[in-house]
């Protein structure tokens, strides 16, 4: 139910985006469309997994059979891993655009992308084991646990670096003007709340995965929720541009702040 609720938010945010920003860059519109479709497929796979557990296996009668890892469940985790990496890459590019005056921006973005790719690679490694073995016991194997440890620690590292970088860069953009301060503060709240939320979810996955014995149901729930949180955080960032731009009407600092919002309105390809 939580996944369906978050997907409902994704649907409304996506509809608002395409209605409000019809002239956004093609790459931006394509990214939003692809992520939305992936989330739709993710919900469909989870629905199929629930059907298998409650209808086919008749939970709670056949508990052990119901918790077998079907290919739909394994595929839904694959989708979540790809979505997470894609959204982290979005924020990395946003940081790159925002930090144009810093010499170290390439090294910073490279580090964020490297941790994100390491997170994706380790996650896919653990996920691949689930395709070959439907038993939940595969989740508790040493190889799987090591892969998930790398996946989750790299994810937390990437999220923390993204949040810390945005906070540092945005604070450095303060001009002392009240209008600028208001927008900077708003952007800081967005950055910290998004980063804090995803970091908390990743931490919960890490803790529950190692504390709870297989099949680690709580960790699985948090994993499926995390993808939608990432997508919604990206959509909120994109959709906030109009309200922020209105706050900067009749000021001379509009272009500076809007640089921090990746994929600003443009007809460029």
């Amino acid at each position: 139910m939580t996944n369906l609720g978050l997907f409902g938010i994704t649907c409304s945010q996506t509809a608002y985006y395409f209605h409000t920003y019809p002239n956004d860059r093609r790459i931006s519109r394509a990214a939003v469309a692809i992520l939305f479709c992936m989330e739709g497929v993710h919900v469909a796979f989870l629905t199929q997994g629930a059907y298998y557990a409650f209808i086919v296996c008749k939970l709670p009668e056949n508990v052990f059979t119901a918790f077998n890892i079907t290919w739909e469940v394994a595929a839904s985790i694959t989708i979540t891993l790809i979505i997470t990496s894609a959204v982290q890459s979005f924020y990395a590019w946003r940081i790159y655009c925002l930090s144009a005056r810093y010499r170290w921006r390439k090294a910073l973005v490279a580090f964020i992308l490297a941790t994100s790719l390491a997170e994706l690679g380790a996650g896919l490694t653990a996920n691949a084991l689930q395709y070959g073995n439907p038993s939940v016991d595969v989740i508790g194997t040493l190889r799987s646990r090591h892969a998930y440890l790398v996946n989750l620690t790299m994810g937390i590292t990437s999220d923390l670096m993204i949040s810390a970088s945005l906070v540092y860069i945005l604070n450095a953009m303060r001009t002392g003007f009240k209008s600028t301060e208001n927008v900077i503060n708003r952007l800081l709240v967005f950055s910290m709340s998004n980063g804090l939320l995803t970091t908390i979810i990743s931490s919960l996955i890490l803790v529950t995965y190692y504390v709870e014995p297989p099949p680690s149901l709580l960790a699985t729930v948090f994993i499926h929720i995390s993808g939608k949180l990432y997508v919604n955080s990206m959509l909120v960032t994109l959709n906030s541009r109009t309200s922020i731009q209105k706050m900067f009407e009749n000021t001379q600092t509009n272009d500076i702040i809007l640089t921090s919002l990746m994929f600003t309105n443009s007809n460029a390809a």
Side-chain angles (χ1 to χ4, degrees):
M1 294 301 293
T2 303
N3 265 283
L4 290 176
L6 290 173
F7 183 61
I9 296 174
T10 302
C11 291
S12 62
Q13 289 282 347
T14 302
Y16 179 85
Y17 169 77
F18 281 108
H19 179 267
T20 308
Y21 303 99
N23 297 320
D24 243 8
R25 294 184 178 184
R26 293 176 185 174
I27 189 174
S28 174
R29 287 179 285 148
V32 171
I34 291 172
L35 289 175
F36 175 75
C37 290
M38 292 180 70
E39 282 292 355
V41 174
H42 181 267
V43 170
F45 283 160
L46 287 184
T47 303
Q48 176 60 30
Y51 175 84
Y52 172 80
F54 289 98
I55 305 300
V56 176
C57 297
K58 299 180 181 180
L59 269 179
E61 295 179 15
N62 302 311
V63 176
F64 294 102
T65 305
F67 289 146
N68 281 345
I69 303 173
T70 63
W71 73 266
E72 292 93 349
V73 174
S76 67
I77 295 176
T78 302
I79 292 174
T80 297
L81 292 168
I82 295 173
I83 287 174
T84 299
S85 184
V87 174
Q88 288 171 339
S89 298
F90 162 83
Y91 282 114
W93 180 247
R94 182 186 177 198
I95 291 171
Y96 184 82
C97 294
L98 175 60
S99 58
R101 61 176 177 170
Y102 298 104
R103 295 181 179 179
W104 41 259
R105 68 169 179 165
K106 291 183 178 179
L108 173 62
V109 171
F111 179 79
I112 293 173
L113 291 177
T115 55
S116 179
L117 288 175
E119 174 191 11
L120 176 62
L124 290 177
T125 299
N127 188 219
L129 300 176
Q130 298 170 357
Y131 284 100
N133 187 351
S135 173
V136 294
D137 293 335
V138 70
I139 298 177
T141 61
L142 189 61
R143 183 180 178 186
S144 181
R145 294 174 75 85
H146 285 170
Y148 273 125
L149 177 62
V150 175
N151 166 259
L152 294 169
T153 53
M154 288 296 99
I156 293 172
T157 301
S158 181
D159 289 339
L160 288 177
M161 283 300 300
I162 289 171
S163 297
S165 300
L166 287 173
V167 168
Y168 176 83
I169 296 169
L170 290 171
N171 265 315
M173 293 176 63
R174 294 186 182 277
T175 63
F177 293 103
K178 184 177 180 180
S179 59
T180 305
E181 294 294 306
N182 289 337
V183 177
I184 291 293
N185 290 335
R186 184 167 181 176
L187 290 174
L188 284 171
V189 170
F190 278 146
S191 302
M192 289 187 290
S193 60
N194 290 339
L196 182 62
L197 185 59
T198 54
T199 301
I200 289 175
I201 289 295
S202 296
S203 300
L204 287 174
I205 295 172
L206 180 62
V207 171
T208 53
Y209 178 71
Y210 278 91
V211 171
E212 186 185 17
S216 303
L217 295 181
L218 278 177
T220 303
V221 170
F222 289 134
I223 288 173
H224 291 307
I225 290 175
S226 65
K228 290 175 177 55
L229 291 178
Y230 276 101
V231 171
N232 285 329
S233 72
M234 172 180 166
L235 288 171
V236 167
T237 300
L238 289 171
N239 290 336
S240 65
R241 289 173 294 169
T242 297
S243 59
I244 292 176
Q245 190 169 14
K246 288 180 181 178
M247 294 178 66
F248 268 89
E249 289 179 353
N250 302 321
T251 70
Q252 296 180 348
T253 53
N254 189 23
D255 291 338
I256 298 175
I257 300 301
L258 288 182
T259 302
S260 69
L261 300 172
M262 184 194 167
F263 300 144
T264 52
N265 288 346
S266 173
N267 290 318

